[in-house]
Amino acid sequence: MSFVGLFLSGAVLFLNGLMLMGKAEAKSVGVFNLFVGVIQVINPFYLLMVSDQDHWDLYSNGVIFLFGLTFLYVGVTALKGLDGRGLGWFSLWVAIIAVVYTLTSIIQFHDAVSAITWGMWAFLWFLFFLSNSMQMKIDHYLGMVAIIQSWVTLTIPALLYFLGIWNTPIVEQVWLIVLIGSFAYFCLGLLKLRLFIPFAHTEKE
């Protein structure tokens, strides 16, 4: 995936996290989702047209649509005040695709950083499914996960790539620790969250 795309996606995810935590107004964040969503749909079309159409080119460029379509869906849902269950089911589909990319990163490319990154994205999309389709009251936790991931999986890796140091062994080792630490933090938060999920269902009943 283009590192410019990662950079812009980091901004969107940061704002979406703030929106979920009640720190940013939904419609204004929805507009930014649409801006970047359009870019993240046009960009892969161009990359596919100029590529060799090899299956790995399709693998690398096609995945950008997952981000672009998610941002467009979030943007339209926020601006129009639509029911979020459709977005949730779409997020589940994307989460399953992200699991495939996680496994491919391990089996085909032996890339631990990419594997954990994709695993974290799969987790995030699955949380969107739980929040929107299953109607679980996890928006604050989801927002926290989104904000952290916006920096550790998108914004900072893109900046390091722009500086020409992303693929260096030292950065790779440090970032592996950062990703593992972030995921461990998410798991601890999830354990605490489980105490409140039954109450969420009770309130809905």
Side-chain angles (χ1 to χ4, degrees):
M1 182 175 172
S2 164
F3 278 88
V4 174
L6 289 177
F7 189 62
L8 295 175
S9 297
V12 177
L13 194 56
F14 178 68
L15 290 176
N16 287 346
L18 292 174
M19 176 183 67
L20 288 164
M21 298 180 76
K23 304 296 184 181
E25 197 267 331
K27 289 187 176 181
S28 65
V29 174
V31 171
F32 192 70
N33 272 266
L34 292 181
F35 286 157
V36 178
V38 169
I39 294 172
Q40 294 288 66
V41 169
I42 295 175
N43 184 35
F45 272 121
Y46 170 76
L47 292 175
L48 288 170
M49 285 189 295
V50 300
S51 72
D52 295 329
Q53 299 295 308
D54 177 79
H55 73 98
W56 288 120
D57 288 329
L58 299 176
Y59 173 89
S60 299
N61 296 322
V63 71
I64 305 175
F65 286 110
L66 299 181
F67 290 85
L69 293 174
T70 298
F71 297 153
L72 288 175
Y73 209 155
V74 170
V76 172
T77 299
L79 287 172
K80 295 294 186 179
L82 303 178
D83 183 280
R85 282 175 289 186
L87 173 60
W89 287 110
F90 172 74
S91 297
L92 177 62
W93 179 81
V94 179
I96 294 170
I97 302 302
V99 170
V100 175
Y101 274 75
T102 302
L103 296 175
T104 304
S105 296
I106 297 171
I107 298 170
Q108 178 67 29
F109 300 110
H110 312 291
D111 187 341
V113 171
S114 292
I116 297 175
T117 298
W118 274 109
M120 291 175 72
W121 288 339
F123 177 64
L124 179 65
W125 268 304
F126 184 68
L127 289 178
F128 272 105
F129 162 70
L130 294 180
S131 175
N132 287 280
S133 293
M134 297 293 101
Q135 301 290 294
M136 290 186 176
K137 294 185 177 181
I138 57 172
D139 281 1
H140 191 275
Y141 173 76
L142 175 55
M144 178 270 295
V145 172
I147 289 172
I148 293 175
Q149 287 201 23
S150 75
W151 292 101
V152 302
T153 68
L154 297 165
T155 305
I156 298 178
L159 287 173
L160 293 175
Y161 182 83
F162 297 158
L163 294 171
I165 59 175
W166 172 245
N167 294 320
T168 59
I170 293 177
V171 170
E172 183 175 344
Q173 292 173 8
V174 170
W175 217 247
L176 190 60
I177 295 171
V178 169
L179 291 174
I180 293 173
S182 299
F183 200 77
Y185 180 70
F186 297 156
C187 291
L188 288 174
L190 194 60
L191 289 174
K192 295 179 181 179
L193 185 67
R194 288 181 61 186
L195 299 175
F196 300 97
I197 288 178
F199 294 101
H201 288 298
T202 301
E203 290 175 8
K204 288 181 179 297
E205 292 173 357

